[in-house]
Each structure stands twice: as C-alpha cells, then as structure tokens.
Amino acid sequence: MADSDISDNEPTTRTLLRRVLDTEAPRTPRRRQSTRAGVQRTPLGTPFSMRLRSQTKTTAGRQPHRARSIGRLAHIQTRGQLKEQTPRTLLENILLTAPESSMVMPESAVKPVPAPQVVQFSRRESSPGSLELQLPELNAPTTLAPGRLTSGRRKKRLRLSEFQQGMDQGLPLSQGPVTEPPGNTGASSLSSSLNLTFATPLLPQSVQRPGLARRPPTRRAVDVGIFLQDLQDTSVATALPGDRTPVATLPTDTVLEDTQPFSQPLIGRSPSVHHSLPYPSLSAERTVSRRTRSSGPGLQNNSPGKPAQLLAGKAEEVDALAMGFPNTSSSTSGEDGVEPLLGGVGEEVEERMEESMSLSEVKEAAGAQASARAEEPEAHTEVAEAEGSWGAIEEKEPEGSSRDKDTEARPELASSTPEFPRARQLEFLEPAPPTSTAVGLFRQQFIPAPSLSSEPLEPLSARLPTRVQTARPRLRQDSYKMGLSHYAKLFSFYAKMPMEKKALEMVEKCLDKYFQRLCDDLDVFAAHAGRKTVRLEDLELLMRRQGLVTDRVSLHVLVEQHLPLEYRQLLIPCAFSGNTVFPAQ
Amino acid sequence: MEAEKEGAEEQQGLFYRQRLKAAVHYTVGCLCEEVASDKEVQLSRQTIAAISEVTFRQCESFAKDLEMFARHAKRSTINTEDVKLLARRSNSLLKYITEKSEEFNVERKTKKKKKLEDENKDSLEPAEAGGVGSEN
C-alpha cells in the first residue's frame, strides 16, 4: 500500500486526494482489516479503475500504477463502508465518485504517457511541456482539419520516435491511435491528434498511386508503330472478310476523328492522282495505316475494273474497292471533307501510277488504291455521318437526296475505317495478282515513315482537281452504292444468317430506290406547300403516309421514343423559365 | 340511351359502308367483265371480290391522303393539286390526270367566258361536277 510513488502527475482532484490519502494511509490502525477487505473488494474496484484507465489508454507502463490505484480504491472502499465521518472518508468518497480523468485534462494524462514511454521519470518533466504543447491542440481539433494536421505535425516527430521506441520495446501504445479511426470524438482529443498525425502520410500515398492518374491516349503512336512493323514484316496476311461486317455498325465518329488529321496531307494529292490512273491498281495492300483505313471502305465501291482479279477472294469490300477505284479518282464530292480525303487517296494512287508495274508491288498498289478509295468514301462518310447523325431532321433539305447517298457512302466507309487496318492490309495483300501500276517505289517510300510518303503526294494534288470535276457525277453514283453497301452490311448483320451477294445487291437496290423516293417525296411535299425548303411538316406528312405517324401516334411521341435528348430538345418545343420557349416556333 | 344511339349510328354507318362496298363491287365487276372480254380471259368471283375489297380500302387511304395534302397546303378544300400529288406514283395515271385537268381548265375558261358574257351562274356547277367526275 505504499503509495509514495505517485506516477501520475495529473493535477486532478483525484490525484491530489490520493496523495493525501496515501500519505495518511500508514497512520490508520485499520489498515490490516482494510487490506483483507481490499483483497475481497479488488474485483469491485478493478473494473472501476480499469474503466477509468482505459479511457486514457494506459500502457504497460501504466499497469503498475493501475495496480496501485486499484489497491487504493479497495482501500478506500473498505474505509468508506465503515461509515466513518472523518475527513478521510469524505475524501475517499470523493475519489470514488469523481472521474479519474476529465475531458479537459486527459490529453495531458495521455500525452505524457505515450511520449516518453520508456523513460517514466521524464514524464514529470515532460508533462508540463507536453501539456503546453497540447493546449493548442486541444483547441485545434474542433477547428479545421489543416489546423489539426499542422498541430499533429508538431507532435509527429515525437510520436514517430516514440512509436519506433515503442515498437522496439513491443509497446502497443502507438498502435492504438493508428488503428483507431479518426472518428473518436468521445475519446481524448489527444488520441484524435494522434490519429491526425498518422493521417497525414496517407495523403501522399494516395497521390503516389499510379492507377488514379489519367494516362493520355497514345493510340496513334501505337498504331504507327504496329503499322511499321507490319510493313516490315511483309507477312502474308490471312484475309478477314467476314469480320468486318459486324464492325460496320461501329460509330464512325471515332474513325473520322482519327483520320481527319491525316487528311491534310492528302488534300493536295487526291484529285490529280485519281484521274491519272487509268487502271486503279487495287492490289495495294500496304498503305499508310490511316489511309488504308479510309481507303479500304472507299475503294470497295469504286474500282469496277480491277476488282475481279484482285478482290476475288475478298469480301464485298474488296469488290467494292475494285468497282470504285476509277471512280474514286473522279470523285468529286463538293464537300470540303471529301477533298482532303480525296487528296490523300489521290496521293497513293499517284504513287502507284508512278511506280512500275510489278506483282510484288501489288501490295502497295492495293494500299494506294485503298487510300484513293478511302478518300472518296471518307469524304462521303464524313458528310454522310454528319447527316446521318441528324437522321430525319436533315432529310428535310431538298438536297438531301444527293446527300443521303453520300451519307450512305460515308457510313459505309466510316464503318470500315474502324476495322483493323492490319486486316485490311492483309486483305489487300491477298489480291496480289498482277497489277497495272507498279508500286515498288511506293513501298520503299512508305516503309521508312508514313509521314514522309505523304509529303510527295501533296504536290500532285494540283493536277487532280481539273480531272476530278469531269468524273464527279459518276462518283456520286458510286458513293450512293458505297453508302448503300453500308446499310446492306447492317442488314446482313441483323439477319444473323449468312447472305448471298446477290441478295445483298438486291437489298442495295431496294434501299437505293427507297431513299430516292423518300427524297423525291420530301421535295414534292415542299413544293406542294409552295416552299423551296423541306421542313418538318413535310417530313411529318411523309411519315404519316408511311404509317409511322398515325392518329394515335404523333411525331412527338416518336421523337421521344427514338431520338436522344439533345435532338428531342431541338425538335419538341419546351417552355423554360421566363416564358421562353425553345426552340422558338 | 347514348349507347343505343351510338349503336344505331354505328349500324347506320356500317350499313352505309356496306352499301358503298356493294356499289364499288358492282362497278369493279363491270370493269372486270370488260377486261375479261377484251383479253379473252375469265375472272373468278373471288378475284373480283378481292379486287373490289382492295379498291375500297385504297379509296379510304386516298381520302385520308387527300385530306392530309390539303391540310399540308393550308387549305380546307381538296384541290386538283392534291389529286395530282396523290397520283404521282404511277406515271401513266399522272399523265392522264394532268391531261384531263388541262382539258377541264380549258373548258372552264371557255365556259367562263361564255358565262361572263351570258352571266349565267347555273352552268358552272354542273360543269364543275362534270369536271370533277372526269378527273376522278
């Protein structure tokens, strides 16, 4: 019961009373009895003391003190039961009832404990200092977090060193605040401060995580590299005809975005190149990766001459390529988007033309053709896509008839463009049969770098424009079919069954007639109403004739059902705040 | 009471409809006999009935379309323009209608001149009715 050693330096009432009692303890003659009773009552006192101590997260260092306190409590309780009205008993009662640690002071109690765990003697010395340090912290926890962090940082060093010491010695002190989440409002603010100190290192960790960082898209660079590898490999490709059809449904937006930057070098060349080629060498297998993409779809429909030889083994695309090639050279879509594409295609075509005729060069020729084709179809696809995106809305325009054809061509092209350029190259490689144009030089130029090859093509574009104009109407027809083949592919895709080529051709014919009639009707309806521009009313009348719009189903209902919100907002007038109606009628 | 009235109206409408159908069937039958005798081919009754049914439904569609066209042109009366718009599909029919309409217009002009001279309004109505009948 010797309590000479008062480990806790808390200037609490309890500690003071304890000191008083301890100093007076040896004087009472009833100690012996109390000791016995104290043994019996230790279980009663221990939970109380344990509870009190647990609040401050006593450590092993505290345990001896706890034992002493338990002994004291038992001692006090025994005395209290004797019901002596002495000042001693009063003090004992106070000790029993008063909380061991107050909300205000626990930090001071806890802080000195964890701080110098090893050195207990230094507690007394450091406690006043720690108390001082903690005072600002006491006020801080309720304030902003950065305040907490800053205050925590001051103590961070102490804590960490103590933590390390504690870890070395196996003390579990530091683990407590670390494991505890920062949600201990009820606990001492010291513990929360401890949590704060350990919270700060977590922030840099999250920043350091690479997964959260967004990587910039590096697709193009990879494509070029792969393309160059393919060029150098000169491996015989296995055609992938059937794979393209489902890809046709891919959105063309992405493709066009990729191809647009490359269309610039193509601008100058396309027109002249096209016309210069008497025989569109369809066998071009290798082209600039991007060009091949664009050219692939375009060429499909364009070259009628060579197709048979070169594209025999390929899918419809190849056939279309052969068909469309000579036409591509004459492609004359007046749209701006077409010309750059045409230029690009023309470049490759020219290159083919320039080079000697050789079988080995067929690949390049095919690629060049593909690029040439791609020009037109790309141009058309761009237009078509832009139009197609507007769908029925754009049909209003009387020029829509021609544009629809372009749109048909474009979606086809666009659809093919997202397809793997390699696959296309491979396809072109297959029709290696003799080609009229020599592509050897072309290949040599292309292998080093696609950018370089594009440069020589540009100056040739100057010749093309004059030639292109003459053949434009023919190209437009082909662009119709190019666009229609896109829909035919969609048809075959949704049919979920293999389809004959003849069947697809019939589908194309039907689609062609359908679209022509559609646009004629729109034109006539507009004229019937005494207007020159096709409007929504004309289209609504058409849909009513088609049976889509009935007395039960109105146009607005269809718009709501099928169009996305952006278009719906444009079509259906809606009232907004301030009595404003958009779109204004 | 109202249901009965509606039922009676419907019956009357149906009855009227049946009469119309019968009239159409009769006319189609006559035309088919002429064609059969002309081509020296025989047509069965089911065929004539099918043709008359199709004709009747097509007439319904025509009527709706004509009304839509007139409304589209912001008019309340069906015009020859609406009829021409309706018949644009078949070129021969369109030609025929345009020719007839021109004839009718010519007749109208001459008649108008006469009427202006005579200032006789009664002749206009039968002329118009005749013109409409010839057009249709």
Side-chain angles (χ1 to χ4, degrees), chain A residues 400-409 476-488 503-521, chain B residues 89:
Chain A
S401 61
S402 64
R403 286 199 183 182
D404 284 346
K405 297 166 187 177
D406 290 339
T407 54
E408 293 158 13
R476 273 194 177 166
Q477 289 177 0
D478 293 331
S479 65
Y480 298 160
K481 293 184 183 172
M482 291 193 303
L484 287 175
S485 64
H486 169 69
Y487 286 107
L504 286 171
E505 286 175 11
M506 289 306 300
V507 168
E508 283 183 20
K509 268 190 190 176
C510 295
L511 284 170
D512 186 28
K513 289 192 177 176
Y514 173 75
F515 282 120
Q516 280 186 0
R517 186 166 288 188
L518 193 88
C519 300
D520 288 341
D521 282 356
Chain B
R89 287 291 173 216

Side-chain angles (χ1 to χ4, degrees), chain B residues 25-74:
Chain B
H25 182 75
Y26 177 72
T27 312
V28 166
C30 293
L31 289 169
C32 287
E33 282 181 8
E34 289 182 16
V35 170
S37 61
D38 189 23
K39 304 284 182 183
E40 296 177 1
V41 178
Q42 285 186 352
L43 294 170
S44 64
R45 290 198 176 180
Q46 288 85 0
T47 311
I48 295 168
I51 292 168
S52 63
E53 181 68 25
V54 168
T55 311
F56 189 78
R57 290 192 188 177
Q58 197 72 338
C59 286
E60 287 183 0
S61 169
F62 287 161
K64 288 180 186 172
D65 288 347
L66 285 170
E67 187 195 349
M68 282 197 306
F69 291 150
R71 195 175 294 171
H72 184 249
K74 296 164 189 173

Side-chain angles (χ1 to χ4, degrees), chain A residues 54-60 110 113-114 117 159 162-163 166-167 170-184 187-188 190-199:
Chain A
S54 66
Q55 289 179 2
T56 56
K57 302 173 189 175
T58 55
T59 61
V110 178
V113 174
Q117 294 175 7
R159 308 248 169 88
E162 293 160 13
F163 179 77
M167 290 299 289
L171 295 174
L173 174 65
S174 58
Q175 292 174 4
V178 176
T179 55
E180 287 181 11
N184 290 339
S188 63
L190 178 65
S191 63
S192 63
S193 66
L194 287 170
N195 292 333
L196 291 169
T197 59
F198 284 99

Side-chain angles (χ1 to χ4, degrees), chain B residues 118-129:
Chain B
D118 302 340
E119 293 181 359
N120 189 359
K121 296 179 183 179
D122 293 340
S123 61
L124 279 170
E125 293 172 353
E128 285 180 358

Side-chain angles (χ1 to χ4, degrees), chain A residues 234-240 314 363 422-430:
Chain A
T234 69
S235 60
V236 178
T238 57
L240 303 171
K314 298 244 170 142
K363 292 186 180 180
R422 295 186 207 174
R424 222 166 274 149
Q425 292 173 11
L426 297 178
E427 287 192 13
F428 296 145
L429 287 171
E430 277 193 0

Side-chain angles (χ1 to χ4, degrees), chain B:
Chain B
M1 291 290 291
E2 293 178 355
E4 292 177 358
K5 285 183 184 175
E6 289 176 359
E9 288 176 2
E10 282 183 11
Q11 281 184 358
Q12 282 185 1
L14 285 171
F15 184 62
Y16 190 68
R17 193 182 169 88
Q18 283 178 358
R19 284 175 58 188
L20 281 172
K21 268 193 183 178
V24 168
H25 182 75
Y26 177 72
T27 312
V28 166
C30 293
L31 289 169
C32 287
E33 282 181 8
E34 289 182 16
V35 170
S37 61
D38 189 23
K39 304 284 182 183
E40 296 177 1
V41 178
Q42 285 186 352
L43 294 170
S44 64
R45 290 198 176 180
Q46 288 85 0
T47 311
I48 295 168
I51 292 168
S52 63
E53 181 68 25
V54 168
T55 311
F56 189 78
R57 290 192 188 177
Q58 197 72 338
C59 286
E60 287 183 0
S61 169
F62 287 161
K64 288 180 186 172
D65 288 347
L66 285 170
E67 187 195 349
M68 282 197 306
F69 291 150
R71 195 175 294 171
H72 184 249
K74 296 164 189 173
R75 279 185 273 105
S76 58
T77 43
I78 292 171
N79 207 4
T80 54
E81 301 298 324
D82 300 328
V83 177
K84 285 181 194 174
L85 194 67
L86 187 74
R88 76 190 181 287
R89 287 291 173 216
S90 78
N91 292 333
S92 60
L93 184 61
L94 185 63
K95 261 189 187 179
Y96 184 78
I97 287 174
T98 47
E99 287 174 0
K100 286 291 178 181
S101 67
E102 286 175 5
E103 288 181 11
F104 175 67
N105 285 336
V106 170
E107 288 181 16
R108 256 184 130 180
K109 284 176 185 176
T110 54
K111 285 179 184 176
K112 274 185 179 177
K113 285 178 185 175
K114 282 184 185 177
K115 287 164 191 174
L116 285 171
E117 292 174 359
D118 302 340
E119 293 181 359
N120 189 359
K121 296 179 183 179
D122 293 340
S123 61
L124 279 170
E125 293 172 353
E128 285 180 358
V132 170
S134 66
E135 268 187 324
N136 293 339

Side-chain angles (χ1 to χ4, degrees), chain A residues 11 59 101 109 136 156 176 224 249 255 276 294 344 397 429 450 467 476 514 572:
Chain A
T59 61
S101 62
K156 188 176 176 182
V224 173
T249 57
V255 174
S276 61
S294 60
E397 300 179 3
L429 287 171
R467 298 178 190 173
R476 273 194 177 166
Y514 173 75
I572 298 177

